[in-house]
């Protein structure tokens, strides 16, 4: 693991118990974690210059003693709708008191209530509403965060959401990946005219947002209550023409053939997947599309149909895990809780879960230089007061994060 060019590092993070998550899927034994119980990481220019046993560490200008804490790659939350305004706990309470979805929809509730609040908020207010949720994620060791648009549904409001996402990345020690999700829901001004909305999205909205540099990837909600297979395909064609990678909310509530569609477009990921078919699994395996598992939405909606994990494993599809943080179906700002849910509800192994929020989540974002500890990777780590890596998925409500390193710079745990 040595690097001949690493003779003088900026910082050496030493006296750490490493889980590098570098290389191999692992079989559930300790080795899949890439463990070195007496390790060190050398950083130069914001990148990892060297990783290995402490006794062989190269010289550095500064030394940071990690005090025997566990050091993992910084966590990656690869699917969130965390920028939004408003609050829907009132609807949730009404439903628990017997109100139906129709009652709530008739009262203007559901996703459209978040769209109204997000449209009405100033850019500064939208940022202020979102920051506490984002800080909660970062306090648990998240160093890379995907943020979707999709509560604006018109050019100005989608641009506002994406600018807020970019500002988050400038304000806080986190690498933000933006995703345009204009095809999330049909805005009321296009009621009954979904194809006209997709025309506008493809012809005006997406090209304009891409030209402003606000879009890193393009997503859609392909569902009976969202957009059709054909409408999604039109969005993907424009994305590919603009050189943008695609991903998809696929097979969450029904099988629309979305996973195979996004795989055919060389998609980064297909997300949710409770209704994924064998054909979808095969298409994802062939294209190298990551399966992003969202146990928070499954839990919150009290779903019972699990994603076909045995088939995904057998086909060698990489598994990622994310919060899906959103006000309607997964009001969750804890990636560690998502790990526990993935293991408890779906029987992922702790190693699969941890790979799902590091190396495979980075892959789901097209960020191959994040999510593992190896020379050349971004120097993004998290430090943990735990007995072994499985504790990250095991404990419920604990936050053992003691600090993060973002692009080589040490930060005390955010609170
Ligand atoms: N799938 C969902 O379940 C959420 N979005 C999506 O694409 C719902 C988002 C919301 O209700 O606000
Ligand atoms: Fe989502």
């Amino acid at each position: 693991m040595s690097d001949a060019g690493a003779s003088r590092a900026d910082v050496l993070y030493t006296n750490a118990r490493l889980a590098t998550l570098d290389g191999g899927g692992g079989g559930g034994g300790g080795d899949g974690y890439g463990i070195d119980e007496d390790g060190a990481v050398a950083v130069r220019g914001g990148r990892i210059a060297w990783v290995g046993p402490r006794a062989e560490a190269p010289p550095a200008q500064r030394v940071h003693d990690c005090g025997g804490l566990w050091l993992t790659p910084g966590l990656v939350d690869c699917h969130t709708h965390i920028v939004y305004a408003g609050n829907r706990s009132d609807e949730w309470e009404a439903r628990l008191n017997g109100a139906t979805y129709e009652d709530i929809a008739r009262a203007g509730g559901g996703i459209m209530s978040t769209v109204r609040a997000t449209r009405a908020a100033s850019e500064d207010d939208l940022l202020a509403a979102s920051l506490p949720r984002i800080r909660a994620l970062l306090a648990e060791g998240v160093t890379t965060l995907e943020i979707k648009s999709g509560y604006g549904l018109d050019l100005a409001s989608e641009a506002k959401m994406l600018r807020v996402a970019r500002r988050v990345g400038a304000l806080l020690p986190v690498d933000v990946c933006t995703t345009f999700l204009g095809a999330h829901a049909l805005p009321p001004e296009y009621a009954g005219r979904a194809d006209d909305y997709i025309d506008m999205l493809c012809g005006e909205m997406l090209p304009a947002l891409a030209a402003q540099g606000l879009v890193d990837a393009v997503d859609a909600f392909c569902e009976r209550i969202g957009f059709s297979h054909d409408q999604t395909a039109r969005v993907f064609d424009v994305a590919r023409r603009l050189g943008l990678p695609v991903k998809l909310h696929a097979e969450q509530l029904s099988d629309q053939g979305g996973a195979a569609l996004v795989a055919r477009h060389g998609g980064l990921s297909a997300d949710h997947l409770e209704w994924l078919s064998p054909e979808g699994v095969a298409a994802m395996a062939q294209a190298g599309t990551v399966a992003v598992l969202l146990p928070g939405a499954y839990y919150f909606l009290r779903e019972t149909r699990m994603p076909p994990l045995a088939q995904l494993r057998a086909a060698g599809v990489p598994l990622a895990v994310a919060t899906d943080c959103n006000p309607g179906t997964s009001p969750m700002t804890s990636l560690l809780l998502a790990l526990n849910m993935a293991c408890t509800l779906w029987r992922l192994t702790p190693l699969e879960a941890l790979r799902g929020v590091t190396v495979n989540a980075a892959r789901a974002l097209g960020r191959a230089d994040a999510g593992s500890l190896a020379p050349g990777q971004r120097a993004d780590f998290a430090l943990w007061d735990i007995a072994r890596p499985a504790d990250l998925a095991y404990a419920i409500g604990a936050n053992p994060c003691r600090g993060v390193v973002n692009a080589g710079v040490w930060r005390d745990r955010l609170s």
Side-chain angles (χ1 to χ4, degrees):
M1 282 207 234
S2 67
D3 174 335
S7 51
R8 196 91 185 139
D10 300 336
V11 195
L12 183 72
Y13 291 92
T14 190
N15 188 20
R17 300 162 87 184
L18 304 181
T20 67
L21 282 301
D22 178 39
D31 57 340
Y33 290 105
I35 286 175
D36 184 333
E37 293 250 16
D38 191 14
V41 183
V43 173
R44 197 172 17 167
R47 299 256 158 195
I48 295 174
W50 179 92
V51 185
R54 168 154 63 149
E56 297 168 19
Q61 296 183 30
R62 275 193 312 114
V63 174
H64 183 113
D65 188 319
C66 297
L69 293 173
W70 279 89
L71 190 160
T72 69
L75 305 189
V76 179
D77 193 347
C78 68
H79 181 137
T80 85
H81 312 247
I82 203 163
V83 167
Y84 64 84
N87 177 306
R88 280 157 57 193
S89 60
D90 53 344
E91 291 174 14
W92 181 72
E93 183 167 19
R95 273 199 283 129
L96 288 170
N97 281 298
T100 65
Y101 279 100
E102 288 72 47
D103 297 334
I104 289 166
R106 241 181 282 120
I111 191 166
M112 282 309 146
S113 83
T114 303
V115 171
R116 272 195 310 279
T118 302
R119 285 179 171 182
S122 71
E123 187 173 315
D124 286 345
D125 286 350
L126 187 57
L127 178 67
S130 305
L131 281 176
R133 293 188 286 268
I134 293 164
R135 284 183 192 280
L137 282 182
L138 302 200
E140 286 188 354
V142 169
T143 54
T144 303
L145 173 63
E146 189 248 20
I147 301 178
K148 299 178 196 294
S149 70
Y151 291 120
L153 310 181
D154 62 39
L155 177 56
S157 307
E158 290 287 297
K160 178 174 68 184
M161 289 188 74
L162 293 167
R163 282 196 304 271
V164 166
R166 288 280 189 244
R167 285 173 67 186
V168 168
L171 275 171
L172 295 177
V174 62
D175 185 25
V176 171
C177 305
T178 61
T179 299
F180 172 64
L181 179 58
H184 188 196
L186 190 62
E189 58 275 20
Y190 280 88
R193 297 189 296 127
D195 281 314
D196 291 349
Y197 178 64
I198 295 295
D199 283 346
M200 188 278 288
L201 187 157
C202 291
E204 296 170 33
M205 210 184 329
L206 176 50
L209 296 169
Q212 293 172 49
L214 289 171
V215 182
D216 296 334
V218 174
D219 191 356
F221 186 35
C222 184
E223 193 57 66
R224 280 199 289 259
I225 60 167
F227 293 90
S228 71
H229 184 283
D230 287 357
Q231 289 162 345
T232 302
R234 289 170 57 203
V235 175
F236 283 177
D237 286 340
V238 175
R240 301 305 290 155
R241 234 179 291 137
L242 293 166
L244 297 170
V246 297
K247 58 177 76 175
L248 190 63
H249 283 73
E251 275 74 280
Q252 179 186 7
L253 306 169
S254 63
D255 180 11
Q256 300 289 316
L261 172 67
V262 72
R264 272 203 303 282
H265 283 80
L268 292 172
S269 68
D271 303 33
H272 283 291
L273 302 175
E274 281 82 347
W275 291 81
L276 181 63
S277 67
E279 295 73 34
V281 173
M284 289 176 69
Q286 204 188 345
T289 299
V290 176
V292 176
L293 306 171
L294 303 169
Y298 172 93
Y299 165 86
F300 196 74
L301 296 174
R302 297 172 53 84
E303 299 284 352
T304 53
R305 186 182 168 107
M306 289 172 39
L309 284 159
Q311 292 177 43
L312 287 164
R313 284 189 187 107
V317 175
L319 306 178
V321 175
T323 61
D324 195 16
C325 176
N326 80 73
T329 64
S330 189
M332 178 162 76
T333 52
S334 171
L335 192 54
L336 297 182
L337 180 56
L339 289 185
N340 181 270
M341 287 179 174
C343 295
T344 303
L345 298 172
W346 291 343
R347 316 309 289 164
L348 262 71
T349 67
L351 174 58
E352 284 176 323
L354 190 55
R355 289 179 63 80
V357 295
T358 54
V359 59
N360 289 344
R363 184 166 162 187
L365 294 176
R367 290 283 213 272
D369 64 345
S372 63
L373 306 179
Q377 294 292 87
R378 277 178 65 99
D380 290 349
F381 337 130
L383 285 144
W384 310 97
D385 185 6
I386 52 177
R388 61 185 62 80
D391 280 340
L392 297 178
Y394 164 78
I396 301 172
N399 183 1
C401 184
R402 293 294 170 265
V404 299
V405 174
N406 178 258
V409 180
W410 165 262
R411 320 264 176 177
D412 286 330
R413 182 184 129 184
L414 291 175
S415 54

